[in-house]
Amino acid sequence: MWKFLLQRLLLFIPTFLVISVITFVLIQAPPGDYINSYATQLEASGEEASEALLLALRKRYGLDQPVYIQYVKWLWGIFTRLDFGHSMQWNRPVGDLIWDRLAWTVLISFLTIIFTWILAFPIGIYSATHQYSGFDYSFTFLGFVGAGIPDFLLALVLMWLGFAFFGLDMGGLFSEAFRDAPWSWAKFVDMLKHLWVPVVVLSVSSTAGLIRTMRANLLDELRKPYVITARSKGMTEWHLVLKYPVRVALNPFISSIAYVLPQLVSGTTIISIVLSLPTTGPIQIRSLMSQDMYLAGSIFLLLASLTILGTFISDILLAVVDPRIRLE
Amino acid sequence: MDPGILIDIQHLHTNFYLREGVVKAVNGASLTIAKGRTLGVVGESGCGKSVTAQSILQIVPRPGRIESGDILLHIAEGDLDETINITDLNPGDPLMRDIRGSRISMIFQEPMTSFSPVHTVGNQLEETIKLHQPKSGDEAPARVLDMLRRVGIANPERNVEAYPHQLSGGMRQRAMIAMALMLEPSLLIADEPTTALDVTTEAQILALMRDMQSELHMAIMFITHDLGVIAEMADDVAVMYLGRVVEKAPVRAIFHSPKHPYLQALLESIPRIQKRTGARLQAIEGVVPNPLDVPPGCPFHLRCPDFMPGVCDEVVPPDVTVDEGHTVACHLYTE
């Protein structure tokens, strides 16, 4: 078991390096750089961008050096000082910009996963054990509706409903009064009042999907001979279902943790823009549009690391839950 | 009820309600299982032998349901002497759950898939004790080890911690038998317990079952399509065809004086070494009718060499007693 964990942990390092290279190459792939798009911006606003100014800027940001030197410097900064480089657009260190936002992103994603599971597990289990019942049909219908509605539309409708009927401003994570206030109980309550909107919106489609998955997995398992064995031992039906088939049907869920995390993080982008949430999504889009390479690169790198982390967590959990995996 | 009888099944009907129609998996079957003896139930796939067994335990999977008939279970222990009609109970009835696993238990064809893959063998064996004797507490693990030893599992202290996939097929079936016998039931239902095993292991498992039977004095309902295994294991035999029991007799009579044309044809189809080489294998004419559309009258009349028009395709043949303990459901023997 420990050998297995250590192996997985060591694999983390080469994977991270490969991802960082790919990220950097991808960021460099579009023609031109931040200075080009800066010059275009200056010209658009009627100012002249002199060759000398552009050259000086390139020198200052190290853009005149070869790509591999830029890459090595960037990576060295990350490893030695946790310095993700300088955002040219914001003129601030990337680290200052992303840590807060990353924390919010992870918090919202985490709450969404929890909320999704709390809803999807019982409904999926009930649907499978009562297949083709009224309850099952209702949730199948609701599930397809939920999966079909674009989440940004749902966000807009919720915001409009909140505003029209309750006079609430549900955008952002805090009301006007608390936005810059220090943390207090009242601010926390105010945050909860706002937080549920993105959590609900983000949960809807994944809950719908998860109910279907749980239902399908469990239906498969309920037909397995070991369920009949358990029944022939004289177990009560719910005890039996929870101990055996649900337990086995959980495995695919656990392996899905690996991609749920990055999916949610990138899935929040549109919702964050619609609900003006302080997550990584909005600045990621802006940094890509202005070719703010270190900011964009760092966000990608962190998202990729989250994926690796998710895979790692799901590997461990799977090994804990399923003895057949542990031994291989 | 005859005190020597443990289970008496009368006119059992178990149907499966499918979208395409109703499958009468068990269509009026009657049979009895005597205390301490082995009843072999033989028939081809789909004849309803497994569903009959599942009906006894009320574990017929959906969309199947016992439609009518009686399954009488005779319990005689010390002063206790009562008869329970299992078909009067709901599948979820506490009394029914009490019977399952303690008075009647079952072993299955696939010992691999019949154990949960993610729980240890010990966990699943102990569960049987804890379900029925919640106060057993500390002694349960010791009883599990003892039973594993009795069914011939080497190194039980280690194997009790093993997961099913870590054991061989034969060991798994031994563990399955240990689980079924944990509470010393009065009936063990074995649904093709050796079909998935190789011949050597099969012989060992059959020997084990006979040993355990003489040790625990239990009855066995042995379901198989293998007449060789029947000859080796059974005291009495019930032959099933399309949901009905067509012939019941002690095992010697089954092989030495078969009465029903189906059983005769079945025995004819066994390849024999003495026969001259090059001869074609005997097969029964035709195919088993679609279970959704069972023919009227005798279920076998479409394939029967002795088919009597106007009788066999109209009237369901009643059970006729041809000898002591030997009955056959065929018009050839009616007065």
XYZ file of all heavy atoms in Angstrom, chain A residues 210-286:
608
model
N -24.977 12.721 -12.507
C -24.589 11.778 -11.466
C -25.741 10.858 -11.078
O -25.533 9.679 -10.783
C -24.111 12.561 -10.245
C -22.909 12.013 -9.512
C -21.742 11.803 -10.448
C -22.512 12.951 -8.391
N -26.959 11.390 -11.070
C -28.125 10.549 -10.775
C -28.216 9.442 -11.816
O -28.406 8.273 -11.493
C -29.430 11.380 -10.769
C -29.458 12.303 -9.557
C -30.656 10.467 -10.733
C -30.640 13.243 -9.521
N -28.037 9.822 -13.081
C -28.101 8.815 -14.142
C -27.008 7.770 -13.958
O -27.245 6.578 -14.098
C -27.940 9.451 -15.535
C -28.925 10.536 -15.864
C -30.359 10.089 -15.810
N -30.669 8.983 -16.696
C -31.764 8.260 -16.603
N -32.646 8.515 -15.658
N -32.001 7.283 -17.438
N -25.791 8.240 -13.633
C -24.681 7.300 -13.472
C -24.949 6.355 -12.313
O -24.796 5.137 -12.431
C -23.373 8.065 -13.182
O -23.324 9.202 -14.026
C -22.171 7.201 -13.428
N -25.355 6.939 -11.175
C -25.600 6.121 -9.985
C -26.681 5.093 -10.282
O -26.554 3.922 -9.946
C -26.040 7.029 -8.832
C -26.196 6.304 -7.514
S -24.589 5.781 -6.885
C -25.043 4.497 -5.764
N -27.744 5.550 -10.938
C -28.865 4.668 -11.241
C -28.390 3.512 -12.128
O -28.679 2.344 -11.855
C -29.961 5.480 -11.933
C -31.221 4.693 -12.278
C -32.241 5.626 -12.932
N -33.422 4.916 -13.349
C -33.549 4.277 -14.509
N -32.532 4.260 -15.357
N -34.666 3.651 -14.822
N -27.641 3.862 -13.175
C -27.199 2.827 -14.118
C -26.236 1.847 -13.443
O -26.378 0.630 -13.568
C -26.535 3.474 -15.323
N -25.257 2.391 -12.685
C -24.300 1.524 -11.982
C -25.022 0.565 -11.058
O -24.750 -0.632 -11.030
C -23.360 2.359 -11.104
C -22.337 3.100 -11.920
O -22.196 2.848 -13.107
N -21.637 4.012 -11.291
N -25.940 1.138 -10.283
C -26.607 0.336 -9.266
C -27.525 -0.706 -9.900
O -27.609 -1.830 -9.427
C -27.386 1.255 -8.324
C -27.854 0.610 -7.031
C -26.681 -0.002 -6.286
C -28.540 1.632 -6.148
N -28.172 -0.344 -10.992
C -29.032 -1.313 -11.676
C -28.209 -2.510 -12.137
O -28.637 -3.652 -12.025
C -29.735 -0.669 -12.871
C -30.979 0.149 -12.530
C -31.531 0.815 -13.773
C -32.039 -0.737 -11.899
N -26.998 -2.217 -12.648
C -26.101 -3.306 -13.044
C -25.783 -4.189 -11.847
O -25.832 -5.411 -11.919
C -24.783 -2.748 -13.590
C -24.925 -2.326 -15.039
O -25.979 -2.635 -15.630
O -23.994 -1.701 -15.564
N -25.426 -3.530 -10.738
C -24.980 -4.288 -9.565
C -26.125 -5.075 -8.931
O -25.915 -6.166 -8.420
C -24.357 -3.350 -8.526
C -23.042 -2.715 -8.965
C -21.984 -3.749 -9.333
O -21.942 -4.808 -8.706
O -21.221 -3.495 -10.292
N -27.330 -4.491 -8.975
C -28.462 -5.163 -8.326
C -28.772 -6.503 -8.968
O -29.410 -7.357 -8.369
C -29.702 -4.267 -8.378
C -29.732 -3.115 -7.378
C -30.903 -2.190 -7.657
C -29.817 -3.646 -5.956
N -28.338 -6.678 -10.221
C -28.600 -7.947 -10.907
C -27.516 -8.976 -10.651
O -27.611 -10.106 -11.105
C -28.703 -7.703 -12.415
C -29.905 -6.863 -12.765
C -30.165 -6.848 -14.257
N -31.169 -5.855 -14.558
C -30.908 -4.665 -15.079
N -29.671 -4.348 -15.411
N -31.865 -3.787 -15.286
N -26.461 -8.586 -9.935
C -25.340 -9.507 -9.732
C -25.723 -10.607 -8.731
O -26.512 -10.381 -7.810
C -24.122 -8.730 -9.202
C -23.572 -7.706 -10.175
C -22.479 -8.289 -11.043
C -22.037 -7.357 -12.142
N -21.146 -6.290 -11.673
N -25.128 -11.791 -8.913
C -25.468 -12.915 -8.027
C -25.220 -12.631 -6.546
O -25.927 -13.160 -5.699
C -24.553 -14.034 -8.516
C -24.214 -13.673 -9.911
C -24.218 -12.185 -9.989
N -24.213 -11.803 -6.218
C -23.933 -11.619 -4.789
C -25.089 -10.934 -4.070
O -25.230 -11.067 -2.850
C -22.610 -10.860 -4.563
C -22.584 -9.434 -5.039
C -23.131 -8.415 -4.278
C -21.998 -9.096 -6.256
C -23.097 -7.103 -4.706
C -21.967 -7.803 -6.698
C -22.516 -6.798 -5.921
O -22.499 -5.511 -6.363
N -25.925 -10.207 -4.816
C -27.109 -9.597 -4.204
C -28.105 -10.691 -3.818
O -28.683 -10.669 -2.726
C -27.759 -8.593 -5.181
C -29.037 -8.025 -4.582
C -26.792 -7.479 -5.521
N -28.248 -11.679 -4.699
C -29.146 -12.798 -4.403
C -28.607 -13.594 -3.216
O -29.359 -14.007 -2.340
C -29.305 -13.699 -5.654
C -29.891 -12.871 -6.796
C -30.185 -14.896 -5.354
C -30.004 -13.601 -8.095
N -27.274 -13.778 -3.184
C -26.677 -14.472 -2.041
C -27.040 -13.754 -0.746
O -27.489 -14.373 0.220
C -25.135 -14.496 -2.160
O -24.791 -14.965 -3.445
C -24.531 -15.379 -1.107
N -26.834 -12.423 -0.746
C -27.105 -11.652 0.467
C -28.570 -11.779 0.851
O -28.919 -11.920 2.018
C -26.730 -10.191 0.252
N -29.433 -11.741 -0.165
C -30.862 -11.864 0.109
C -31.164 -13.245 0.713
O -31.962 -13.364 1.631
C -31.622 -11.663 -1.198
C -33.022 -11.122 -1.017
C -33.601 -10.725 -2.351
N -33.186 -9.389 -2.758
C -32.980 -9.024 -4.026
N -33.131 -9.904 -4.991
N -32.626 -7.794 -4.310
N -30.494 -14.265 0.173
C -30.780 -15.628 0.651
C -30.257 -15.851 2.068
O -30.561 -16.846 2.690
C -30.181 -16.660 -0.310
O -28.797 -16.780 -0.088
N -29.430 -14.905 2.555
C -28.961 -15.005 3.930
C -29.972 -14.441 4.912
O -29.835 -14.627 6.118
C -27.657 -14.215 4.105
C -26.456 -14.880 3.528
C -25.186 -14.340 4.153
C -24.516 -13.331 3.279
N -23.248 -12.832 3.855
N -30.963 -13.717 4.383
C -31.985 -13.162 5.258
C -31.741 -11.720 5.656
O -32.252 -11.268 6.669
N -30.957 -10.979 4.856
C -30.751 -9.556 5.167
C -31.990 -8.764 4.796
O -32.710 -9.127 3.870
C -29.577 -9.001 4.357
C -28.243 -9.540 4.746
S -26.957 -8.896 3.652
C -26.477 -7.415 4.531
N -32.204 -7.652 5.506
C -33.280 -6.754 5.073
C -32.829 -6.066 3.800
O -31.639 -5.858 3.567
C -33.590 -5.693 6.134
O -32.392 -4.973 6.412
C -34.113 -6.314 7.402
N -33.796 -5.688 2.994
C -33.487 -5.197 1.665
C -32.589 -3.940 1.687
O -31.611 -3.857 0.972
C -34.780 -4.932 0.901
C -34.635 -4.806 -0.601
C -34.110 -6.072 -1.291
O -34.208 -7.162 -0.693
O -33.600 -5.958 -2.420
N -32.930 -2.957 2.542
C -32.126 -1.715 2.509
C -30.736 -1.931 3.062
O -29.758 -1.387 2.563
C -32.857 -0.569 3.201
C -33.004 -0.705 4.686
C -34.068 -1.221 5.353
C -32.045 -0.315 5.681
N -33.824 -1.204 6.693
C -32.594 -0.650 6.934
C -30.773 0.271 5.635
C -31.929 -0.420 8.130
C -30.110 0.491 6.832
C -30.685 0.152 8.064
N -30.619 -2.787 4.071
C -29.313 -3.108 4.642
C -28.421 -3.729 3.574
O -27.272 -3.357 3.376
C -29.545 -4.075 5.816
C -28.281 -4.516 6.504
N -28.260 -5.524 7.421
C -27.004 -4.095 6.380
C -27.022 -5.704 7.841
N -26.239 -4.856 7.223
N -29.021 -4.680 2.856
C -28.327 -5.399 1.791
C -27.883 -4.445 0.674
O -26.725 -4.454 0.253
C -29.317 -6.444 1.299
C -29.176 -7.363 0.130
C -30.244 -8.426 0.299
C -29.393 -6.684 -1.193
N -28.825 -3.600 0.239
C -28.516 -2.698 -0.879
C -27.379 -1.753 -0.508
O -26.451 -1.534 -1.279
C -29.782 -1.903 -1.300
C -29.416 -0.762 -2.215
C -30.783 -2.817 -1.968
N -27.416 -1.226 0.712
C -26.384 -0.268 1.105
C -25.039 -0.960 1.322
O -23.996 -0.408 1.002
C -26.793 0.477 2.377
C -27.931 1.477 2.194
C -28.194 2.207 3.497
C -27.618 2.479 1.092
N -25.074 -2.175 1.874
C -23.784 -2.807 2.170
C -23.088 -3.319 0.907
O -21.889 -3.167 0.765
C -23.961 -3.970 3.164
C -22.613 -4.649 3.448
C -22.638 -5.651 4.568
C -21.261 -6.326 4.671
N -21.208 -7.404 5.636
N -23.828 -3.950 0.009
C -23.153 -4.575 -1.134
C -23.212 -3.781 -2.439
O -22.214 -3.190 -2.826
C -23.650 -6.013 -1.324
C -23.265 -6.914 -0.175
C -24.205 -7.433 0.684
C -21.931 -7.218 0.054
C -23.835 -8.252 1.748
C -21.552 -8.037 1.114
C -22.502 -8.549 1.951
O -22.125 -9.347 2.983
N -24.351 -3.732 -3.137
C -24.298 -3.105 -4.470
C -23.939 -1.621 -4.437
O -23.172 -1.173 -5.291
C -25.704 -3.323 -5.034
C -26.560 -3.708 -3.902
C -25.686 -4.280 -2.850
N -24.424 -0.874 -3.452
C -24.077 0.550 -3.423
C -22.581 0.722 -3.248
O -21.930 1.516 -3.916
C -24.851 1.289 -2.306
C -24.278 2.662 -2.061
C -26.322 1.387 -2.661
N -22.035 -0.091 -2.368
C -20.592 -0.050 -2.130
C -19.810 -0.289 -3.434
O -18.845 0.422 -3.748
C -20.263 -1.113 -1.088
C -18.847 -1.397 -0.834
C -18.185 -0.278 -0.059
N -16.750 -0.420 -0.161
C -16.042 -1.239 0.574
N -16.633 -1.965 1.500
N -14.741 -1.333 0.398
N -20.227 -1.273 -4.203
C -19.516 -1.569 -5.445
C -19.797 -0.482 -6.490
O -18.902 -0.088 -7.237
C -19.915 -2.961 -5.988
C -19.186 -3.263 -7.273
C -19.620 -4.034 -4.964
N -21.024 0.030 -6.490
C -21.384 1.054 -7.473
C -20.668 2.370 -7.202
O -20.637 3.252 -8.059
C -22.898 1.274 -7.475
N -20.080 2.519 -6.012
C -19.372 3.760 -5.690
C -18.065 3.911 -6.456
O -17.611 5.024 -6.695
C -19.051 3.809 -4.194
C -20.172 4.266 -3.284
C -19.685 4.325 -1.851
C -20.658 5.633 -3.710
N -17.454 2.782 -6.832
C -16.128 2.855 -7.451
C -16.039 3.823 -8.625
O -15.124 4.632 -8.676
C -15.664 1.468 -7.865
C -15.354 0.608 -6.661
O -15.628 1.020 -5.539
N -14.808 -0.554 -6.872
N -16.975 3.759 -9.583
C -16.878 4.712 -10.694
C -16.972 6.163 -10.223
O -16.365 7.048 -10.832
C -18.066 4.348 -11.585
C -18.445 2.981 -11.206
C -18.068 2.810 -9.771
N -17.702 6.403 -9.142
C -17.796 7.763 -8.620
C -16.446 8.265 -8.163
O -16.050 9.388 -8.412
C -18.715 7.797 -7.399
C -20.126 7.997 -7.757
C -20.964 6.926 -7.887
C -20.603 9.266 -7.988
C -22.268 7.088 -8.237
C -21.911 9.443 -8.336
C -22.755 8.355 -8.466
N -15.758 7.363 -7.450
C -14.491 7.773 -6.875
C -13.489 8.075 -7.977
O -12.747 9.043 -7.904
C -13.994 6.689 -5.917
C -14.929 6.684 -4.704
C -12.572 6.943 -5.489
C -14.802 5.495 -3.833
N -13.519 7.266 -9.041
C -12.576 7.578 -10.116
C -12.966 8.867 -10.827
O -12.145 9.487 -11.479
C -12.456 6.409 -11.096
O -13.710 5.929 -11.441
N -14.224 9.281 -10.672
C -14.618 10.511 -11.353
C -14.148 11.750 -10.619
O -14.137 12.833 -11.174
C -16.138 10.566 -11.539
O -16.758 10.858 -10.310
N -13.705 11.605 -9.351
C -13.190 12.768 -8.620
C -12.066 13.408 -9.421
O -11.924 14.627 -9.449
C -12.662 12.345 -7.231
C -13.821 11.881 -6.357
C -11.950 13.498 -6.548
C -13.375 11.367 -5.017
N -11.270 12.584 -10.089
C -10.113 13.075 -10.830
C -10.492 14.168 -11.799
O -9.803 15.172 -11.913
C -9.444 11.916 -11.550
N -11.586 13.978 -12.522
C -11.887 15.024 -13.506
C -12.994 15.963 -13.084
O -13.219 16.976 -13.731
C -12.147 14.415 -14.884
C -13.255 13.395 -14.929
C -14.580 13.781 -15.004
C -12.958 12.036 -14.917
C -15.594 12.843 -15.045
C -13.959 11.098 -14.964
C -15.273 11.503 -15.029
O -16.267 10.585 -15.076
N -13.666 15.632 -11.969
C -14.694 16.564 -11.490
C -14.062 17.895 -11.088
O -14.574 18.960 -11.385
C -15.450 15.940 -10.294
C -16.124 17.005 -9.469
C -16.479 14.948 -10.794
N -12.891 17.797 -10.459
C -12.243 18.999 -9.935
C -11.907 20.004 -11.040
O -12.428 21.123 -11.034
C -11.002 18.577 -9.142
C -10.676 19.381 -7.905
C -11.843 19.411 -6.947
C -9.460 18.794 -7.207
N -11.071 19.621 -12.034
C -10.771 20.596 -13.093
C -11.995 20.978 -13.907
O -12.116 22.124 -14.351
C -9.741 19.874 -13.956
C -9.882 18.444 -13.622
C -10.326 18.389 -12.210
N -12.923 20.020 -14.071
C -14.128 20.323 -14.845
C -14.900 21.460 -14.185
O -15.352 22.387 -14.852
C -14.997 19.076 -14.873
C -15.793 18.908 -16.130
C -16.499 17.568 -16.103
O -17.053 17.158 -15.082
N -16.477 16.868 -17.212
N -15.007 21.367 -12.866
C -15.735 22.405 -12.143
C -14.990 23.724 -12.229
O -15.577 24.771 -12.463
C -15.906 22.010 -10.685
C -17.121 21.153 -10.389
C -17.078 20.690 -8.965
C -18.376 21.955 -10.658
N -13.660 23.667 -12.063
C -12.884 24.896 -12.067
C -13.035 25.615 -13.402
O -13.262 26.816 -13.463
C -11.413 24.597 -11.745
C -10.567 25.828 -11.947
C -11.292 24.107 -10.318
N -12.951 24.857 -14.492
C -13.094 25.528 -15.789
C -14.565 25.783 -16.093
O -14.905 26.734 -16.790
C -12.439 24.700 -16.895
O -12.964 23.400 -16.887
N -15.446 24.934 -15.532
C -16.872 25.133 -15.752
C -17.386 26.400 -15.113
O -18.393 26.973 -15.522
N -16.672 26.872 -14.070
C -17.158 28.064 -13.380
C -16.920 29.338 -14.184
O -17.433 30.386 -13.822
C -16.461 28.235 -12.017
O -15.064 28.196 -12.224
C -16.880 27.167 -11.037
N -16.109 29.256 -15.249
C -15.715 30.485 -15.951
C -16.911 31.321 -16.376
O -17.034 32.496 -16.006
C -14.850 30.124 -17.178
O -13.760 29.354 -16.736
C -14.365 31.378 -17.863
N -17.824 30.675 -17.133
C -18.955 31.449 -17.668
C -19.854 31.933 -16.532
O -20.258 33.102 -16.489
C -19.751 30.580 -18.663
C -18.855 30.225 -19.842
C -20.991 31.309 -19.140
C -19.458 29.246 -20.796
N -20.110 31.039 -15.588
C -20.940 31.413 -14.441
C -20.305 32.560 -13.664
O -20.983 33.486 -13.226
C -21.110 30.196 -13.501
C -21.808 29.064 -14.223
C -21.880 30.564 -12.251
C -23.149 29.433 -14.744
N -18.984 32.509 -13.520
C -18.300 33.559 -12.771
C -18.454 34.897 -13.464
O -18.608 35.937 -12.823
C -16.823 33.228 -12.630
O -16.675 32.041 -11.912
N -18.398 34.869 -14.787
C -18.559 36.130 -15.516
C -19.983 36.630 -15.357
O -20.220 37.802 -15.046
C -18.178 35.940 -17.001
C -16.683 35.639 -17.104
C -18.542 37.173 -17.807
C -16.223 35.216 -18.462
N -20.955 35.706 -15.489
C -22.353 36.115 -15.376
C -22.660 36.629 -13.973
O -23.302 37.653 -13.788
C -23.286 34.922 -15.717
C -24.731 35.267 -15.417
C -23.131 34.524 -17.167
N -22.162 35.921 -12.965
C -22.489 36.288 -11.581
C -21.427 37.200 -10.954
O -21.494 37.480 -9.771
C -22.623 35.025 -10.727
C -23.782 34.079 -11.045
C -23.645 32.791 -10.266
C -25.100 34.736 -10.714
N -20.493 37.641 -11.758
C -19.319 38.413 -11.308
C -18.729 37.873 -9.998
O -18.738 38.517 -8.963
C -19.619 39.905 -11.207
O -20.726 40.170 -10.412
N -18.229 36.643 -10.068
C -17.591 36.023 -8.916
C -16.080 36.205 -9.003
O -15.519 36.197 -10.102
C -17.892 34.512 -8.887
C -19.343 34.096 -8.830
C -19.434 32.589 -8.916
C -19.993 34.600 -7.564
N -15.425 36.378 -7.860
C -13.965 36.564 -7.875
C -13.208 35.253 -8.002
O -12.389 34.920 -7.157
C -13.701 37.227 -6.524
C -14.747 36.677 -5.634
C -15.955 36.438 -6.492
N -13.477 34.471 -9.036
C -12.749 33.212 -9.220
C -11.715 33.372 -10.324
O -11.570 34.451 -10.901
C -13.707 32.070 -9.590
O -14.339 32.418 -10.814
C -14.760 31.857 -8.525
N -11.007 32.291 -10.631
C -9.947 32.386 -11.638
C -10.503 32.542 -13.051
O -9.802 33.027 -13.931
C -9.066 31.122 -11.619
O -9.918 29.983 -11.607
C -8.154 31.101 -10.422
N -11.723 32.112 -13.285
C -12.279 32.111 -14.633
C -12.152 33.421 -15.389
O -11.540 33.469 -16.465
N -12.717 34.514 -14.854
C -12.697 35.766 -15.604
C -11.290 36.257 -15.936
O -11.047 36.676 -17.072
C -13.414 36.732 -14.663
C -14.295 35.878 -13.816
C -13.539 34.603 -13.636
N -10.355 36.183 -14.963
C -9.015 36.711 -15.311
C -8.299 35.776 -16.274
O -7.450 36.209 -17.037
C -8.112 36.990 -14.081
C -7.872 35.729 -13.258
C -8.629 38.127 -13.235
C -6.726 35.920 -12.266
N -8.691 34.516 -16.268
C -8.076 33.579 -17.214
C -8.419 33.998 -18.637
O -7.556 34.071 -19.509
C -8.576 32.168 -16.910
C -7.927 31.106 -17.763
C -8.580 29.753 -17.546
O -9.544 29.626 -16.791
N -8.070 28.760 -18.223
N -9.694 34.295 -18.866
C -10.135 34.718 -20.198
C -9.412 35.996 -20.609
O -8.870 36.094 -21.717
C -11.659 34.967 -20.183
C -12.402 33.684 -19.861
C -12.114 35.597 -21.484
C -12.929 32.957 -21.050
N -9.362 36.979 -19.671
C -8.738 38.253 -20.018
C -7.257 38.092 -20.310
O -6.725 38.698 -21.241
C -8.954 39.262 -18.886
C -10.346 39.846 -18.916
C -10.588 40.782 -17.765
N -9.703 41.947 -17.802
C -9.689 42.861 -16.823
N -10.491 42.729 -15.784
N -8.865 43.898 -16.910
